[in-house]
Amino acid sequence: MDHSQAGQTAANARRAAWMRVLSLADPATLEGAFRGLGGVPAHQMLRPAQTGMAMVRARSGGTGARFNLGEMTVTRCAVTLADGVVGMAYVQGRSARHAEQAAVADALLQLPEWHDTVDAQVIQPLARAHADKVDAQARVAAQTKVEFFTMVRGED
């Protein structure tokens, strides 16, 4: 892999990371963070928010053969800014607003003049909120943990 391919791979990984944060964000929290940005550049809908179904695949035990687990509702949206930058988003559920805001944030994060601001005011707080939520869920689950053990008798 040459240097330009490695750079492109790293850029794709960074974009995938912020798109994940945007898609997992609580819509109300995203709304508040987005509002804090103030006036964002105008955008046009390339693909207005559309809701559909996506097949979820899983692996038995996390390592077995793949199987179709079921379907889930997904909303997607694509926007374009005046300079031609395209932002896309796929979010779980039916929130057209969530998908549109995530797509606009994706587009802004691709612009050098907006990247640091959107990262600091939207992505980082959303990532922390998601991590806190996961930690809280793990603590609740840990409270219900049951340890099983076997007592061995001294007799054969």
Side-chain angles (χ1 to χ4, degrees):
M1 182 181 323
D2 66 20
H3 181 68
S4 65
Q5 288 176 327
Q8 187 64 33
T9 302
N12 288 344
R14 285 191 303 273
R15 186 173 183 203
W18 76 57
M19 289 177 87
R20 179 180 189 277
V21 169
L22 290 166
S23 70
L24 292 173
D26 174 66
T29 307
L30 176 60
E31 179 80 37
F34 204 81
R35 209 174 312 124
L37 289 175
V40 297
H43 64 278
Q44 292 182 344
M45 292 291 181
L46 202 56
R47 173 177 287 148
Q50 300 170 318
T51 299
M53 302 294 283
M55 179 59 68
V56 178
R57 300 199 61 180
R59 290 181 183 263
S60 180
T63 58
R66 290 183 185 197
F67 64 94
N68 292 339
L69 181 65
E71 293 181 333
M72 65 181 274
T73 306
V74 176
T75 303
R76 69 180 181 181
C77 183
V79 301
T80 183
L81 301 179
D83 60 0
V85 173
V86 175
M88 300 183 324
Y90 285 79
V91 300
Q92 182 178 344
R94 299 178 175 274
S95 176
R97 180 76 176 151
H98 182 183
E100 181 180 347
Q101 287 179 327
V104 171
D106 174 49
L108 293 176
L109 283 159
Q110 296 175 64
L111 298 175
E113 64 271 18
W114 277 92
H115 180 84
D116 291 343
T117 302
V118 176
D119 186 58
Q121 294 182 18
V122 177
I123 300 302
Q124 296 307 318
L126 291 175
R128 281 191 300 274
H130 180 70
D132 291 348
K133 179 180 175 184
V134 169
D135 288 344
Q137 289 172 336
R139 283 193 301 277
V140 169
Q143 293 173 356
T144 64
K145 183 178 179 183
V146 177
E147 303 245 357
F148 292 95
F149 59 93
T150 303
M151 301 263 314
V152 178
R153 295 177 61 171
E155 306 166 6
D156 284 334

